[in-house]
Amino acid sequence: MTQPKRIAVLGSTGSIGVQTLDIISEYPDRFRASVLVAGSNVDLLVAQSMAHRPDLAIIADCSKYTFLRDSLAGHGIKTACGAEAIADAMELPEIDTVVTATVGYSGLEPTIRAIKAGKDIALANKETLVVAGELVTRLLKESRTKVIPVDSEHSAIYQCLMGEEKRAIRKLIITASGGPFRTKSIDDLKKVTVKDALSHPNWSMGAKITIDSATMLNKAFEIIEARWLFGIDPERIEAVVHPQSIVHSMVEFVDGAIKAQLGLPDMHLPIRYALGDSSRLPTNERGMSIADFSHLDFYKPDTEKFPMINLAYHALKTGGNTACIINAANEIAVAAFLHGQIGYLDIRKVIEHALEEIPFIASPDYNDYVETNAATRAFATSILSSI
Ligand code: NDP
Ligand code: MG
């Protein structure tokens, strides 16, 4: 029998990370967690390590390291801490596939290191492609790494493209639930609270992506992600609002046919598909009964109410470090919104100010992205109190 695939779960304590470990547990003959990486939730990382017995457990927050080391001492699990240790670990021979389920910019460096080491990637961390899509795509061309998307929309498109030729694609159609504020008026949006924004109608996800879904910047990020993953020009990628989140995305072909992938809004499915290397692993989990859905609705997004969707086209047209600026400003603004420092509509203002202030770089290299990210974060932080 072949050995189980050895998986590094980057962000094992988060929403995608926990669901990834569910899938690893569901197929113990096929998969094994060999490296677990968390941000700061050391209690959960210890519990996951005791359950999964990885070769290595890493915590990004070094102030929690002593607890991690002492808790796992004598169990044959190595421990480490900090961003450098995380990036270095991506090259370990004990890894076949890296699941990038960390949130935000922190996914970029380890993903690049995993690509350089030729590891396969199950990509959840869309910010990697938002921040540095051009660079990452270039590195992928020189590497044996295979990327399979985890993001439900991109997994759906990937599945629709099986057996199809790239030149047969007319359009990628990315579905969007519309988030919790789909039916609110522009006036209502001035008054929404953190609790309102965290109440996603269909998906249970980490806080940052839930806020991105409420502003619909998540959909802009997904358009950028699709552009780099599938090599399709932005004018051939469109978003369509589909409140039920049953059709996970679609591809229109040159003969007019449209293929879609349907399923319940449950990330276990795209994670299972990505870990299974695009083969369909049987599961006892309940599927959906199509007859339960008497109608599925689709309509054009309201870009007056959700103008952030258009940032995708702006960023892709302008190129360079533009999307990196948008991402960094958004990370600061979303954290500030979650802490009650700024309002919902201020998130967009922070991004717009950053786009005006931070110098444009047409052909950024890796260090330019690092500097753009740092400069944008500093600038965005400095304007929070006066926004
Ligand atoms: P969560 O906030 O739930 O989890 C984030 C994970 O990253 C946690 O394990 C966290 O650790 C860890 N982390 C945070 N900062 C660092 C760091 N500096 N270094 C290492 N690890 C860190 O996020 P989600 O699971 O919701 O999302 C993860 C990624 O997947 C995002 O890019 C998101 O856009 C994408 N995605 C998520 C979907 C979902 O359904 N949740 C759907 C599609 C895409 P800790 O908690 O220990 O601090
Ligand atoms: Mg998605």
Side-chain angles (χ1 to χ4, degrees):
M1 210 186 94
T2 52
Q3 290 297 309
K5 190 188 281 186
R6 297 160 304 174
I7 296 169
V9 188
L10 197 56
S12 65
T13 49
S15 163
I16 294 289
V18 166
Q19 294 178 84
T20 300
L21 291 177
D22 291 343
I23 300 296
I24 291 175
S25 301
E26 194 180 349
Y27 305 94
D29 297 340
R30 283 179 181 272
F31 307 129
R32 176 176 170 261
S34 59
V35 177
L36 297 182
V37 177
S40 62
N41 187 347
V42 74
D43 292 330
L44 184 53
L45 179 61
V46 167
Q48 291 177 335
S49 300
M50 293 308 286
H52 287 269
R53 302 288 167 150
D55 302 310
L56 173 64
I58 315 179
I59 189 107
D61 177 352
C62 285
S63 71
K64 309 278 176 70
Y65 177 65
T66 311
F67 183 81
L68 178 71
R69 186 195 58 201
D70 294 351
S71 305
L72 297 181
H75 292 285
I77 302 168
K78 287 184 242 128
T79 54
C81 78
E84 211 179 311
I86 297 170
D88 287 347
M90 298 300 106
E91 293 170 357
L92 288 174
E94 293 90 352
I95 300 174
D96 300 310
T97 297
V98 178
V99 179
T100 65
T102 180
V103 64
Y105 180 87
S106 67
L108 180 63
E109 195 192 356
T111 307
I112 286 180
R113 291 286 288 276
I115 294 170
K116 286 188 172 165
K119 308 296 183 187
D120 284 340
I121 292 176
L123 186 110
N125 180 262
K126 66 191 87 187
E127 292 91 340
T128 293
L129 289 177
V130 170
V131 169
E134 198 168 2
L135 170 72
V136 171
T137 310
R138 203 173 341 117
L139 291 173
L140 279 169
K141 284 204 182 105
E142 298 157 6
S143 151
R144 61 174 187 275
T145 292
K146 183 170 171 187
V147 177
I148 303 189
V150 167
D151 210 349
S152 57
E153 295 78 3
H154 304 75
S155 175
I157 291 169
Y158 194 90
Q159 293 178 56
C160 291
L161 290 176
M162 280 291 152
E164 304 286 356
E165 287 175 276
K166 189 171 166 197
R167 62 178 176 192
I169 303 169
R170 183 183 281 163
K171 205 159 63 172
L172 306 182
I173 305 165
I174 299 184
T175 52
S177 69
F181 304 144
R182 181 176 59 86
T183 56
K184 291 220 182 293
S185 70
I186 292 183
D187 257 3
D188 291 339
L189 289 179
K190 292 180 189 147
K191 297 172 286 208
V192 297
T193 64
V194 173
K195 191 163 167 258
D196 298 333
L198 283 174
S199 309
H200 196 282
N202 303 337
W203 296 96
S204 164
M205 310 179 285
K208 192 256 181 187
I209 184 176
T210 305
I211 302 304
D212 290 348
S213 300
T215 61
M216 291 196 77
L217 184 62
N218 183 51
K219 221 33 68 178
F221 283 177
E222 292 184 348
I223 291 168
I224 298 174
E225 184 185 5
R227 188 262 171 271
W228 296 115
L229 272 175
F230 303 110
I232 299 292
D233 294 337
E235 57 273 18
R236 293 198 291 138
I237 307 175
E238 70 178 36
V240 62
V241 175
H242 165 48
Q244 292 91 355
S245 297
I246 292 297
V247 174
H248 294 307
S249 277
M250 298 172 254
V251 180
E252 184 180 322
F253 294 94
V254 286
D255 62 354
I258 295 181
K259 271 166 85 173
Q261 185 257 325
L262 283 70
L264 292 171
D266 179 349
M267 291 305 294
H268 287 100
L269 192 148
I271 296 168
R272 188 182 289 112
Y273 187 78
L275 291 188
D277 204 4
S278 341
S279 64
R280 302 226 175 253
L281 305 180
T283 177
N284 293 326
E285 268 186 39
R286 127 196 119 93
M288 67 175 225
S289 164
I290 196 80
D292 289 346
F293 297 90
S294 58
H295 63 274
L296 296 173
D297 302 314
F298 301 95
Y299 46 86
K300 284 194 180 356
D302 181 343
T303 51
E304 224 175 289
K305 215 159 69 178
F306 299 106
M308 297 241 257
I309 295 180
N310 287 333
L311 282 177
Y313 302 104
H314 169 69
L316 288 170
K317 196 167 160 223
T318 317
N321 60 345
T322 305
C324 179
I325 297 170
I326 294 171
N327 179 70
N330 181 59
E331 285 191 31
I332 295 297
V334 168
F337 172 68
L338 286 168
H339 286 105
Q341 284 171 274
I342 62 171
Y344 167 86
L345 291 174
D346 297 330
I347 297 173
R348 188 174 136 221
K349 287 192 212 156
V350 173
I351 296 172
E352 282 170 353
H353 284 315
L355 282 171
E356 282 163 20
E357 180 69 19
I358 304 298
F360 175 67
I361 303 172
S363 304
D365 60 19
Y366 179 72
N367 290 331
D368 293 324
Y369 287 121
V370 173
E371 275 164 31
T372 299
N373 177 60
T376 308
R377 281 168 181 272
F379 172 74
T381 306
S382 76
I383 60 171
L384 288 176
S385 55
S386 56
I387 203 85

